[in-house]
Amino acid sequence: YDLSELRRYIDWGPFFIAWEMKGKYPAILQDEHVGKEATKLFNDANALLDRIIAEKWLTAKGVIGFWEALRTAPDTIQLKDEQGNVLTTTEHLRQQIKKADGQPEFSLADFIKPDAKDYMGAFAVSIHGIEPHLQKFIADHDDYNKLMLHALAYRFAEAFAEVLHLRTRKEFWGYAKD
């Protein structure tokens, strides 16, 4: 998947949290306490992103699937293939947190229509190619860029998940996030 497109979806909030900087992006860049360092960090990250993309350091790979789903019991879902054969049966726990009286304890199965045709989808994303670049930073004793590369690879994975979610909503279900 095109890293240039994924870059537009990077959530910078967790990036700054990874560097133990408190504040919301973009306001953190103007913060009286950490703004100067946050801006330097942000600029360094974007310079490295330019290099990662231009030199094709990383590759984004993903897979997505949809299956017919049937809720067969309050906490049980069957997934079927295109011919209607059962692929798997899954049991789902109910929420385990303490709630006020009368509040429901949801299970994933609650979101599948009981005894009616419904669908369930899933996707997985990954970012490949980081190792040779990490090894170079390690050999150069460049911990800063090693950590920066890790942080940016995580942001790419998160951005990729967001993009697949948005594309799925638009292409398969006919609506996009507002």
Side-chain angles (χ1 to χ4, degrees), residues 16-30:
F16 288 108
I17 290 169
W19 289 91
E20 297 184 4
M21 290 188 169
K22 292 184 170 74
K24 294 199 182 279
Y25 175 81
I28 193 171
L29 302 176
Q30 305 301 320

Side-chain angles (χ1 to χ4, degrees), residues 33-152:
H33 302 290
V34 297
K36 184 177 177 184
E37 287 304 313
T39 299
K40 180 187 179 315
L41 187 66
F42 182 71
N43 291 338
D44 289 350
N46 277 285
L48 188 55
L49 280 173
D50 290 341
R51 189 170 178 200
I52 290 167
I53 292 168
E55 297 176 13
K56 300 183 182 333
W57 283 14
L58 304 176
T59 304
K61 296 181 181 182
V63 63
I64 189 166
F66 289 95
W67 302 272
E68 184 179 335
L70 178 67
R71 187 166 84 192
T72 58
D75 299 327
T76 306
I77 300 172
Q78 280 186 347
L79 298 180
K80 298 181 178 186
D81 66 15
E82 293 172 350
Q83 291 75 39
N85 301 313
V86 175
L87 294 170
T88 190
T89 301
T90 58
E91 299 290 332
H92 300 274
L93 286 174
R94 299 223 155 253
Q95 291 173 315
Q96 302 294 302
I97 61 173
K98 188 169 178 80
K99 292 187 167 195
D101 289 341
Q103 286 191 329
E105 294 170 333
F106 290 112
S107 161
L108 184 59
D110 293 332
F111 299 94
I112 302 297
K113 294 177 191 172
D115 303 318
K117 191 173 188 175
D118 205 344
Y119 294 88
M120 181 178 257
F123 59 84
V125 299
S126 59
I127 302 297
H128 298 261
I130 196 172
E131 282 303 321
H133 307 289
L134 288 177
Q135 291 306 318
K136 178 163 182 357
F137 289 137
I138 291 167
D140 292 344
H141 304 286
D142 187 349
D143 290 339
Y144 178 71
N145 277 303
K146 181 184 90 167
L147 293 171
M148 181 71 75
L149 180 57
H150 267 290
L152 292 174

